[in-house]
Every structure is written in structure tokens, then in C-alpha cells.
Amino acid sequence: MPTDSAPRPVTLTAFLGVAGFALLITIVRFKSGQDWVPILDSANLVIHEAGHPIVGLFSHRLMVYGGTLFQLLFPALVTFHFKRGGDAVGYVFGLVWLGENLLNVARYMADARTHLLPLVGGGEHDWSEIFSRWGVLDSDTAIAGFTAFLGWSLMAAAPARLFKAWLDTSQNGV
Ligand SMILES: [Zn+2]
């Protein structure tokens, strides 16, 4: 039974599964024509929407941050959970999900001035409000571009890291 100090060995199947997942959501996202991954982004949206009222319980002013905070916090917690348990595959899965969520956040950020995206619940536009507070509304697409870059990097680097873990495993003859 693996323990915290003895990570589970990574199999080629596991690597292909995670890499395939990252590749699949990339293709689906591009093919959607709306930079949207069905099911996954709907789940992200549900978590996002739950974040606003929960943060709102503590601070009305910070409520606008709650959506993005929660949608990033969830995959981060999943990642942390698997990392702590020595599960490299679950860990990388979490990182891919986190990266994909950053793309979702970037998509919303880039809309701060144009307001082309449909808003759930018809409330205020999170990033119009946040960027206005910060005085950077004119830089919305630049910040979105950087955020998307982080997301893509994570989605590419995480499976690559797993590939390296598999190589190490197979070289050790485990
Ligand atoms: Zn929101």
C-alpha cells in the first residue's frame, strides 16, 4: 500500500490518459468556436456561481471576487489533495483542470469592456467591476492574455511532468 513517502508508480496508460484529456479539452475548446468546453466549463460555472454568495456571507465588497476565487480554489484543492497523497496522476489531472479554469477566467477577463458574453443571473460583470476598481480596465485583454498563457502553460507542462515521472519509473524498473 503506497504511503505519503512512497509515490505510486506512473504507468504509460495513466500518462496517456491525462495527456489525452488535456488534448481532448483543447480540441473541444477550439472546435466550440466560443472557447468553451461543454460539461467541464459548465461545472466550473456552477462552482464559480456558488463562490459569490459564500464569499458574500463574509464581505459584500469581496463578493465579486468569490466566483473566480472558488473556481480556482477547487482544482487547487484537488491538486493539493492528490499531491499530499503521493498520487502523481491525480495531481497532474488537478493541474490540467486548474489550467483549463485559468482559460475560462481569461475568457471572462477579456470581455470586461466589450460585454459580449451572456452573464448568468444577469448580475454585474465581475471583471468590469474588478478591473475598474483596480484602474486597469483598458488592459483587460492584456491581462486576459497573460492569464491564458499561464493556463496553457499549465495544461502543457503538467502532462509533460507526468511523462518524466513515467520515464523515471520505467528506468527504475518498478
Ligand atoms: Zn461571477
Side-chain angles (χ1 to χ4, degrees):
M1 190 70 183
T3 65
D4 283 2
S5 55
R8 291 183 192 90
V10 176
T11 63
L12 181 62
T13 313
F15 161 69
L16 291 175
V18 175
F21 173 68
L23 191 64
L24 179 71
I25 56 180
T26 299
I27 292 170
V28 168
R29 194 171 191 278
F30 276 116
K31 288 203 88 169
S32 75
Q34 299 170 330
D35 297 334
W36 185 261
V37 182
I39 302 173
L40 186 58
D41 273 329
S42 296
N44 293 337
L45 183 62
V46 169
I47 297 169
H48 175 110
E49 289 306 322
H52 286 304
I54 292 172
V55 170
L57 289 174
F58 301 96
S59 163
H60 185 73
R61 182 163 171 77
L62 296 180
M63 198 170 160
V64 70
Y65 296 101
T68 302
L69 179 72
F70 263 59
Q71 88 176 83
L72 295 178
L73 194 65
F74 255 72
L77 284 176
V78 166
T79 303
F80 178 71
H81 168 79
F82 284 121
K83 171 83 176 165
R84 217 174 53 157
D87 186 333
V89 179
Y91 169 59
V92 169
F93 234 104
L95 287 178
V96 170
W97 185 24
L98 183 62
E100 196 277 333
N101 251 298
L102 282 169
L103 298 182
N104 184 277
V105 170
R107 174 179 183 264
Y108 195 8
M109 283 176 162
D111 187 62
R113 277 176 298 176
T114 52
H115 286 212
L116 294 175
L117 296 178
L119 288 184
V120 174
E124 67 183 350
H125 192 296
D126 295 359
W127 289 103
S128 294
E129 172 62 21
I130 293 169
F131 286 155
S132 297
R133 285 188 194 179
W134 296 352
V136 295
L137 189 58
D138 288 346
S139 305
D140 60 352
T141 49
I143 298 170
F146 179 69
T147 305
F149 170 74
L150 289 180
W152 286 122
S153 301
L154 207 52
M155 283 177 65
R161 193 181 184 287
L162 196 62
F163 182 69
K164 186 181 176 304
W166 170 71
L167 275 184
D168 292 346
T169 302
S170 49
Q171 278 166 5
N172 290 338
V174 178

